[in-house]
Amino acid sequence: MRVDLLIENVRIYNSYFKIFIQGNAAILDGRFLYIGERAADNFEAAEHLDGQGRYMIPGLIDIHLHIESTMVTPETFSYGLIRNGVTTIVPEPHEIANVFGLDGVKEFIKASQHCVADMFYAIPSSVPATSMETTGGAIEIEDLDELLRTERIICLGEIMNYVDVITDPDCKTNHILNHIRTHYPHLIIEGHVPKLLDLDLHRMIYSGVDSDHTHQSIEGMEARIAAGMFIEIQEKSMTPEVMAYLMEHEVSEHYCFVTDDVMADSFERRGHLNHLVRKAIGMGMKPEQAIYASTLSPAKRMRMYDRGVIAPGKIGDFQLISDLEQLTIDQVYKHGRKVYDVNEPYEPIVHPPAFPDHYYQSVHMSPLTDADFSVSAEIADGWYACRAMMVKDGSTFTEEQQVDVEVRQGKLNWQDSGYGLIATFERYGKNGNRAFGLIGGDTIKRGAIATTYSHDNHNMLVVGHNPVDMMIAVNEVIKNQGGFSVAQNGEVIASLELPVGGILTEVLLEQVAKEVEQLRKAMESLGYRHYNPIMSISTHSLPVSPALKITDYGLIDVNVGKVVPLIIHN
């Protein structure tokens, strides 16, 4: 019998029994034809591969991530995925959508057309995430219809504005959910429901949202599974207690591993979804269970019934592993064709520029002066209670703390308060909004950091301890048409250019990784104490992530979903 590829002498992962079976596998026309004991004398194979007793597992599948979080283009991202054994992903491009709207999503999908990894897209459902921020673009109901009609869409991306879903029947998000349930009743709806329990959680599920990828606790995870919700475990949820729960209970059909956001330096150094699988094994999870949670379980969630398993008729995506505990990847195959070999050169193939010309000119701001960081207070001089955003290592959540700060000659004397200033400036040329707040905790203690990589609105965000450094950092980002800048003592000490929409670069992954590492070290040199300072500062402007955040509308009390004043006075 004719086949294209025969792999002999391998330990094949059987997803249905979650065990390894010694045998052989045959592939025809990009799909598995046979898995079992039959060998070369039964097949006329165009290519033979001696597995040398190695482990053969399916290509990994990541069903919740944002390519823009790595700050690279889809092709560069795919290059990184393949060498880490990830062959299928479900990216949600809501970052580029916040900058360019529907056109941004379509251009992003177009830019992935040459990728080796399969990319089935999630429609950004919450653009903007709330009504309390200015963005460059928006996704409306008619845009959903357009994308579902013309693009390779697999689900509605994470519903983020859970407060409005629960409290405001007439909000935009509820209109979107009603439209999807009415016209696309079988479309999967992904969710973002941090900390919700009991009636509020059940109301979200009732609305059609039946997954959650946010930071999990045992209580929250049990409540979600009990109510029929699917859990997507990202690294920050891989705590000892959560992992013990997953290992000790029969819940393998109710969760999978996802990456959500991966910084370029981590991608280069540690890997991608394979890093989470390796970590799970290192925490005591059986390899068979960890592999299931990153292959067949996510495939089932997204109804991708043609992959995630080595079985007849399934797509021939697999990898050969020499060390199962370390998940050491020797070779990766896509549709039965070798696309990566650890012993052969692996060079990226890119086709820049990948985007229209105007995508490289999206920061519409004039340079600032140090006077732009003077905070007016139209009240009598004196001491007033003010809200301060407190940064916490270990989480992208923040807390509100009330502190006393002096108002002197109509200005908030923030420089002598013991706290830094956080400010955001609308950068799309729409309204010129700006807002200010105080910041403390595990953030910088000197200098300044500015960025347009600020979730999800991607306005200009800056944190600092003196106006000059803040001005210098912001103006460097404006000059570069987006990115990050770190300033200290009147000079730029680190910079990362992100000229595509102010959030992406077309530089290759290895170089981006080096620049991100330098950026991280510069931020830490200013006193930032956080496991991921880049993601931490980027989410200071995310008004759906608890508890106190900032947009160009002002400080946002996320838990109640409203703008609150910096200065608290009667």
Side-chain angles (χ1 to χ4, degrees):
M1 182 177 183
R2 181 186 70 83
V3 295
D4 298 319
L5 174 64
L6 179 64
I7 309 103
E8 297 182 284
N9 185 26
V10 281
R11 286 178 276 191
I12 303 170
Y13 179 68
N14 184 290
S15 304
Y16 304 117
F17 289 110
K18 300 185 184 70
I19 60 173
F20 283 94
I21 300 172
Q22 186 73 33
N24 310 312
I27 292 177
L28 176 65
D29 296 332
R31 294 177 178 268
F32 292 108
L33 172 67
Y34 172 79
I35 295 92
E37 296 180 357
R38 292 181 181 271
D41 54 345
N42 296 106
F43 300 98
E44 181 183 338
E47 181 183 354
H48 286 84
L49 175 63
D50 182 1
Q52 301 175 331
R54 290 173 293 179
Y55 298 90
M56 182 178 179
I57 69 173
L60 304 185
I61 299 173
D62 191 342
I63 62 170
H64 182 88
L65 60 85
H66 310 284
I67 294 175
E68 304 101 310
S69 293
T70 310
M71 309 179 208
V72 297
T73 59
E75 265 192 308
T76 300
F77 196 80
S78 174
Y79 162 80
L81 290 175
I82 292 300
R83 67 181 181 186
N84 286 290
V86 183
T87 53
T88 299
I89 63 171
V90 180
E92 190 207 320
H94 72 235
E95 312 297 355
I96 200 77
N98 271 277
V99 182
F100 296 116
L102 173 65
D103 187 68
V105 177
K106 294 177 79 72
E107 287 292 340
F108 206 76
I109 295 174
K110 180 180 176 182
S112 66
Q113 62 186 347
H114 298 294
C115 294
V116 176
D118 285 334
M119 298 185 181
F120 298 92
Y121 278 84
I123 299 179
S125 64
S126 304
V127 179
T130 71
S131 59
M132 299 174 291
E133 55 195 313
T134 302
T135 59
I139 298 294
E140 307 296 344
I141 287 177
E142 57 268 25
D143 299 326
L144 304 181
D145 293 332
E146 166 71 11
L147 289 168
L148 284 162
R149 185 173 61 251
T150 63
E151 306 294 347
R152 188 157 71 164
I153 300 299
I154 202 167
C155 67
L156 184 67
E158 58 180 302
I159 296 293
M160 300 181 70
N161 195 359
Y162 56 92
V163 174
D164 275 6
V165 172
I166 294 168
T167 62
D168 183 3
D170 197 42
C171 72
K172 176 182 174 181
T173 306
N174 274 323
H175 284 299
I176 288 174
L177 286 168
N178 290 336
H179 182 77
I180 293 298
R181 290 199 308 268
T182 300
H183 298 282
Y184 311 96
H186 301 297
L187 188 68
I188 299 161
I189 302 175
E190 291 285 273
H192 169 112
V193 290
K195 299 186 177 183
L196 291 190
L197 292 170
D198 198 46
L199 179 58
D200 287 343
L201 176 65
H202 288 203
R203 290 176 69 180
M204 288 297 295
I205 298 172
Y206 183 82
S207 74
V209 177
D210 63 350
S211 77
D212 182 34
H213 70 278
T214 59
H215 199 162
Q216 298 297 324
S217 65
I218 298 298
E219 179 189 24
M221 192 162 56
E222 278 195 323
R224 283 154 176 71
I225 293 174
M229 189 171 257
F230 189 82
I231 309 298
E232 296 164 3
I233 301 289
Q234 55 175 298
E235 186 171 10
K236 65 184 178 183
S237 290
M238 295 176 71
T239 59
E241 56 272 18
V242 166
M243 295 303 294
Y245 185 92
L246 298 177
M247 289 183 263
E248 294 166 5
H249 294 77
E250 294 292 332
V251 293
S252 61
E253 300 302 317
H254 304 289
Y255 80 94
C256 71
F257 294 125
V258 300
T259 58
D260 198 7
D261 305 296
V262 178
M263 295 290 102
D265 56 339
S266 176
F267 202 163
E268 182 74 14
R269 184 179 69 256
R270 301 191 303 176
H272 196 260
L273 187 60
N274 58 320
H275 164 65
L276 271 64
V277 177
R278 190 185 306 118
K279 181 171 182 174
I281 295 170
M283 296 180 74
M285 182 174 279
K286 291 181 180 179
E288 294 86 349
Q289 187 178 356
I291 293 166
Y292 188 86
S294 56
T295 54
L296 189 52
S297 180
K300 286 181 177 180
R301 164 65 187 168
M302 287 296 156
R303 302 176 192 149
M304 295 187 286
Y305 301 126
D306 62 350
R307 67 194 65 211
V309 58
I310 298 172
K314 307 302 183 183
I315 288 175
D317 294 354
F318 68 92
Q319 51 192 303
L320 293 178
I321 305 293
S322 54
D323 185 327
L324 190 60
E325 297 293 323
Q326 295 299 317
L327 212 71
T328 304
I329 300 171
D330 289 351
Q331 294 169 320
V332 179
Y333 281 72
K334 188 81 183 73
H335 294 281
R337 180 178 62 86
K338 185 168 68 173
V339 290
Y340 172 77
D341 191 312
V342 69
N343 295 312
E344 296 175 2
Y346 180 62
E347 300 295 334
I349 301 174
V350 294
H351 304 81
F355 296 93
D357 289 346
H358 71 277
Y359 277 49
Y360 303 86
Q361 297 292 326
S362 67
V363 180
H364 303 293
M365 283 180 64
S366 299
L368 302 185
T369 69
D370 57 357
D372 287 299
F373 301 98
S374 176
V375 182
S376 296
E378 297 179 357
I379 52 179
D381 288 0
W383 290 82
Y384 294 88
C386 295
R387 290 181 170 88
M389 181 189 302
M390 303 304 292
V391 179
K392 293 178 60 179
D393 188 8
S395 177
T396 53
F397 294 170
T398 60
E399 293 181 352
E400 177 182 321
Q401 182 172 306
Q402 294 189 10
V403 299
D404 290 331
V405 182
E406 184 184 17
V407 171
R408 185 189 302 165
Q409 296 180 342
K411 303 292 184 183
L412 187 69
N413 188 23
W414 64 267
Q415 287 179 263
D416 295 324
S417 69
Y419 294 84
L421 183 71
I422 181 169
T424 185
F425 299 84
E426 186 272 319
R427 59 100 161 179
Y428 299 102
K430 290 187 172 184
N431 53 38
N433 283 354
R434 57 181 61 188
F436 301 95
L438 299 174
I439 191 165
D442 296 329
T443 186
I444 60 172
K445 304 298 184 288
R446 52 196 167 273
I449 305 167
T451 184
T452 50
Y453 183 77
S454 53
H455 298 307
D456 281 334
N457 50 68
H458 299 294
N459 284 309
M460 182 70 73
L461 181 75
V462 57
V463 171
H465 280 268
N466 69 83
V468 172
D469 283 340
M470 296 178 80
M471 172 192 70
I472 289 171
V474 168
N475 289 342
E476 175 74 4
V477 175
I478 293 173
K479 182 189 74 173
N480 293 333
Q481 275 299 300
F484 280 88
S485 178
V486 181
Q488 184 180 20
N489 298 328
E491 63 180 9
V492 174
I493 62 172
S495 183
L496 173 64
E497 296 183 25
L498 301 174
V500 183
I503 60 174
L504 301 177
T505 176
E506 290 175 317
V507 173
L508 298 181
L509 184 60
E510 182 179 5
Q511 180 59 35
V512 180
K514 291 178 181 177
E515 294 179 7
V516 168
E517 184 177 8
Q518 292 169 357
L519 174 65
R520 186 192 305 273
K521 289 179 179 178
M523 295 171 72
E524 291 170 347
S525 76
L526 300 186
Y528 219 126
R529 299 189 306 273
H530 199 279
Y531 77 98
N532 190 341
I534 296 173
M535 185 54 63
S536 171
I537 194 170
S538 298
T539 53
H540 290 351
S541 58
L542 184 58
V544 293
S545 175
L548 185 67
K549 297 297 171 75
I550 190 170
T551 74
D552 63 302
Y553 279 46
L555 290 173
I556 309 295
D557 184 331
V558 176
N559 294 328
V560 297
K562 70 176 184 180
V563 179
V564 293
L566 166 58
I567 302 174
I568 306 167
H569 61 92
N570 295 323

